[in-house]
Amino acid sequence: MTRPRLVTGARLRYDEVRAEHQMLVPEGVVRLNATAAEVLELCDGERSLDEIVSALSERYGGGDLRGDVVGLVEGLAQRGLVVDAAV
Amino acid sequence: MPPSRPSTLIAELSYQCPLHCPYCSNPLEIGDARYRDELASDDWVRVFEQARALGVLQLALTGGEPMLRRDLPALCAAARDAGLYSSLITAGTLFSDERARALRDAGLDHVQISIQSPDPQENDRIAGNRSFASKIDAARLTRELGFPLTINCVLHRQNLDRIEEILELALTLDAQRLELANTQYYGWAAVNQDALMPTAEQLQRGEEAVQRFRERVGPRVDVLWVLPDLHEDLPKPCMGGWGRTAIVVGPSGDALPCQAATTIPGLELPNVREHSLEWIWTESDAFARFRGTDWMQEPCRSCPLGRQEVDWGGCRCQALRLTGDAAATDPVCRLSPHHDRVVAAREPARTDEFVYRAIRRPARV
């Protein structure tokens, strides 16, 4: 995975009714915790995975978030919900 | 126990359609005056807003053919404003460049196009009109405009042997999803069971082809393969459970827990012209009738498989059709005393001739 982006048609939003972050896709919804939503907001097909990791690490005081970010992105990629913009 | 939040609104905007598919899920009485009295734009806008407030996430704009509604761009804009994720479920024959762009600009999220067969002549014979070429054009246009594309194909004895071609076509058209729904025998499909029922071998080969395709192509195309109930031994949670996740609203505003619920006698359907969607969901008898598990009879009531909250008793319309009692256990269940009727219904089709969906009720019913 070089430059992750959300699959075509995906929309991130906060659902006021259920008080949760969501990724809406054709005929489906992925419920997200606040951190996952932050990661996916950076998956714009422009930033590299490394850039996403450092942006978040900086935001959270320098901790290494690489494992968490890669785990989330790869997991969603296996379900076809995140794709590589570089391919 | 208060009802869960619904996640899906199925808006059947119109039962008019240029196609005549013999397995259409619309009621047989689509020609009745009550279905021609279609809701106004304002009614739908109100329903979309009420749906979102109830918790609905996904909106299916369907029919009949939803493109026959001239106000479709306004309805898509209203869906976007309300915060719903909108899908257009269309035959594709009216999906012109100009109209498709208007829908995109209005905020439509996703387009789903039906094909009847990957073979042009066979497609047109099953659909009862010449439509294959325009469907392919519509699918290409969908991708050109940047929409995610779903292809759906209802499977039956007369097209199941082309499953590999269907899978390849979806890949060629750059579909993100492919819905392979084996025919369920309600509405027009029940009338045409003799022409549609596949053999067990066809279903087996179909499932293997899907498996091979998934292994080869990976997550790029999400293939849904839904076996027909009648070939199973345990029921599915029809509509995710009665009054549990979905609301169907018909062209004239009748609200139903599933598309086939009009067949259930004595079920008074609340109408969105008279009631709020919240009242319909939380207060109406129609949505409470088979909700949860309290209504269940034996063998569901003491289910030895612990499946009460897995399949929610299966399908009420199927129970009615095959046992005469809408509150009976879905006879698909091998524990149902009527399961032999399901086994008998697996008899493969004997004719190629269809009774086509038409606004006039067929004489054979």
Side-chain angles (χ1 to χ4, degrees):
Chain A
M1 183 63 67
T2 323
R3 290 185 280 115
R5 69 165 173 87
L6 306 185
V7 71
T8 303
R11 278 209 276 139
L12 294 172
R13 69 106 174 265
Y14 182 76
D15 178 1
E16 309 280 345
V17 180
R18 288 180 173 77
E20 66 184 16
H21 294 273
Q22 298 167 341
M23 176 163 68
L24 293 169
V25 292
E27 321 273 343
V29 58
V30 182
R31 298 182 163 170
L32 304 168
N33 62 34
T35 321
E38 274 189 78
V39 174
L40 294 181
E41 268 159 24
L42 297 173
C43 293
D44 55 5
E46 304 282 330
R47 292 178 175 87
S48 70
L49 203 51
D50 288 340
E51 287 168 333
I52 293 169
V53 171
S54 26
L56 284 164
S57 295
E58 204 166 299
R59 208 178 287 176
Y60 288 98
D64 185 10
L65 299 170
R66 184 163 193 91
D68 293 340
V69 173
V70 172
L72 175 74
V73 169
E74 294 290 343
L76 289 170
Q78 277 166 24
R79 294 164 62 190
L81 299 171
V82 168
V83 295
D84 195 344
V87 175
Chain B
M1 193 176 69
S4 54
R5 292 193 180 283
S7 54
T8 303
L9 174 66
I10 298 168
E12 297 179 328
L13 298 181
S14 172
Y15 284 153
Q16 306 288 318
C17 185
L19 271 62
H20 305 282
C21 304
Y23 44 71
C24 182
S25 64
N26 288 166
L28 296 174
E29 303 82 6
I30 42 178
D32 281 10
R34 66 185 152 135
Y35 292 130
R36 291 171 178 255
D37 180 22
E38 293 181 0
L39 291 181
S41 310
D42 291 353
D43 293 321
W44 281 117
V45 174
R46 185 181 69 247
V47 167
F48 295 168
E49 288 165 354
Q50 293 175 349
R52 182 74 272 273
L54 262 182
V56 168
L57 307 171
Q58 295 279 348
L59 169 68
L61 298 163
T62 182
E65 175 51 68
M67 294 291 293
L68 285 168
R69 286 282 301 217
R70 303 306 305 183
D71 58 353
L72 195 56
L75 298 184
C76 290
R80 173 55 68 97
D81 290 347
L84 298 171
Y85 192 96
S86 58
S87 295
L88 176 71
I89 322 290
T90 178
T93 58
L94 304 171
F95 198 75
S96 65
D97 191 80
E98 187 188 351
R99 295 198 69 201
R101 281 173 198 277
L103 296 177
R104 185 190 59 179
D105 295 346
L108 175 66
D109 287 298
H110 162 226
V111 178
Q112 176 172 146
I113 296 174
S114 66
I115 61 161
Q116 281 60 37
S117 166
D119 176 79
Q121 282 78 38
E122 190 175 79
N123 178 94
D124 295 354
R125 185 177 71 81
I126 295 169
N129 93 343
R130 191 168 292 187
S131 51
F132 185 79
S134 55
K135 286 167 180 288
I136 300 302
D137 289 346
R140 296 215 168 98
L141 178 59
T142 296
R143 293 298 299 120
E144 273 167 40
L145 297 182
F147 286 113
L149 170 68
T150 293
I151 294 289
N152 77 60
C153 185
V154 175
L155 299 175
H156 47 81
R157 183 178 66 94
Q158 301 195 40
N159 65 5
L160 248 170
D161 293 337
R162 295 190 192 271
I163 189 142
E164 311 235 4
E165 294 167 63
I166 299 169
L167 290 159
E168 290 311 312
L169 181 61
L171 190 61
T172 307
L173 293 172
D174 196 22
Q176 199 164 305
R177 298 175 70 251
L178 173 63
E179 284 191 10
L180 296 172
N182 276 288
T183 304
Q184 303 282 10
Y185 295 92
Y186 313 108
W188 294 84
V191 179
N192 282 292
Q193 189 165 323
D194 263 359
L196 297 170
M197 184 63 70
T199 65
E201 293 72 32
Q202 281 185 305
L203 291 168
Q204 176 73 29
R205 284 199 301 272
E207 188 152 353
E208 288 164 4
V210 168
Q211 197 49 44
R212 283 196 302 274
F213 183 84
R214 283 178 180 148
E215 282 163 17
R216 176 166 66 90
V217 174
R220 182 178 151 197
V221 185
D222 183 16
V223 184
L224 271 84
W225 164 261
V226 185
L227 264 185
D229 276 357
L230 296 179
H231 283 80
E232 304 225 72
D233 286 324
L234 291 170
K236 295 189 186 74
C238 192
M239 301 300 286
W242 185 277
R244 207 171 149 269
T245 67
I247 305 173
V248 182
V249 175
S252 50
D254 285 346
L256 309 92
C258 89
Q259 282 103 323
T262 51
T263 60
I264 296 178
L267 197 70
E268 200 174 315
L269 299 175
N271 192 288
V272 299
R273 284 171 162 143
E274 285 136 33
H275 298 285
S276 71
L277 218 51
E278 185 186 8
W279 184 89
I280 289 169
W281 184 252
T282 58
E283 305 289 332
S284 75
D285 172 61
F287 278 75
R289 182 76 66 89
F290 304 112
R291 181 180 271 149
T293 56
D294 288 350
W295 59 273
M296 288 179 178
Q297 305 175 358
E298 292 294 356
C300 286
R301 182 168 280 279
S302 59
C303 179
L305 305 174
R307 284 176 52 95
Q308 284 184 340
E309 295 190 4
V310 176
D311 59 40
W312 302 97
C315 172
R316 298 303 86 227
C317 306
Q318 192 150 263
L320 172 70
R321 194 165 69 81
L322 293 175
T323 76
D325 178 4
T329 289
D330 185 335
V332 164
C333 183
R334 61 174 186 255
L335 300 173
S336 159
H338 303 101
H339 186 61
D340 58 323
R341 297 179 191 179
V342 167
V343 174
R346 289 175 193 161
E347 183 68 25
R350 281 160 296 219
T351 173
D352 286 344
E353 279 179 39
F354 294 132
V355 177
Y356 285 103
R357 174 202 199 271
I359 292 295
R360 202 158 54 87
R361 195 185 166 100
R364 242 181 72 185
V365 179

